[in-house]
Amino acid sequence: MKMDVKILDARLRDQLPHYATTGSAGLDLRACIDGPIILAPGETRLIPTGLAIHLADPGYAALILPRSGLGHKHGIVLGNLVGLIDSDYQGQLMVSAWNRGQQAFELTPMERLAQLVIVPVVQAEFNIVDDFEASRRGEGGFGSTGRQ
Ligand SMILES: O=c1ccn([C@H]2C[C@H](O)[C@@H](COP(=O)(O)OP(=O)(O)OP(=O)(O)O)O2)c(=O)[nH]1
Ligand SMILES: [Mg+2]
């Protein structure tokens, strides 16, 4: 698919997000900040990415996800856990950077902070009913099938 992209920060012109390998699902998003930012343990900051996208088609959405290295090694994940980008959103992509770790983390200008994944979406119509057609699971959940 092709999506409209606006480059809001000139520094991105020579380091546009791209799929790093042929099989990559995510496009890395960079921290478009003017100087280093120290994220104290527990702190959350909204970080601009210098990029806007317009998916336009309600059959798509984009997800902002943490990078595994930053999340696992440094505790840098997302304040909203997952960012959901609507197909009609035209503003700058923002990353809620949360230091869930015990150590301060220095975020460097233009470092790759999170990743963007484009996903298909189905908008559901409601068919209001009094009772569902029976299923094997019924209302069982939250471990109802056991652990092993
Ligand atoms: O990590 C994120 C999450 C959201 N957004 C933008 C795109 C999205 O389409 C819009 C609204 O996001 P969401 O619906 O999750 O937030 P809300 O709190 O419900 O705000 P709104 O009332 O604007 O829908 O904010 C980001 O840039 N980054
Ligand atoms: Mg919303």
Side-chain angles (χ1 to χ4, degrees):
M1 65 87 87
K2 239 182 193 168
M3 64 183 177
D4 288 349
V5 175
K6 268 197 214 170
I7 300 170
L8 305 174
D9 186 308
R11 292 173 294 179
L12 277 181
R13 291 201 179 274
D14 46 4
Q15 38 189 353
L16 267 184
H18 65 282
Y19 294 102
T21 65
T22 49
S24 293
L27 296 159
D28 285 336
L29 298 173
R30 295 180 185 275
C32 284
I33 49 180
D34 292 334
I37 287 180
I38 308 284
L39 281 172
E43 193 179 350
T44 305
R45 288 276 289 265
L46 202 55
I47 307 295
T49 64
L51 211 66
I53 64 171
H54 184 211
L55 292 164
D57 180 344
Y60 292 107
L63 302 177
I64 299 180
L65 300 173
R67 293 184 67 206
S68 59
L70 280 183
H72 181 70
K73 294 182 196 153
H74 302 284
I76 301 301
V77 293
L78 306 176
N80 48 352
L81 304 189
V82 174
L84 175 61
I85 311 303
D86 298 287
S87 66
D88 52 357
Y89 180 69
Q90 298 182 322
Q92 179 163 204
L93 296 177
M94 304 295 288
V95 173
S96 172
W98 171 33
N99 183 356
R100 62 156 184 80
Q102 316 282 307
Q103 255 104 51
F105 180 81
E106 182 174 298
L107 187 61
T108 306
M110 305 314 283
E111 90 167 87
R112 289 175 296 142
L113 173 61
Q115 52 188 331
L116 186 76
V117 178
I118 311 297
V119 292
V121 164
V122 174
Q123 283 185 341
E125 277 176 46
F126 283 7
N127 178 40
I128 306 291
V129 296
D130 290 325
D131 292 297
F132 294 129
E133 194 178 311
S135 73
R136 181 158 162 213
R137 171 178 290 277
E139 296 185 4
F142 300 91
S144 68
T145 62
R147 287 185 63 177
Q148 301 296 331

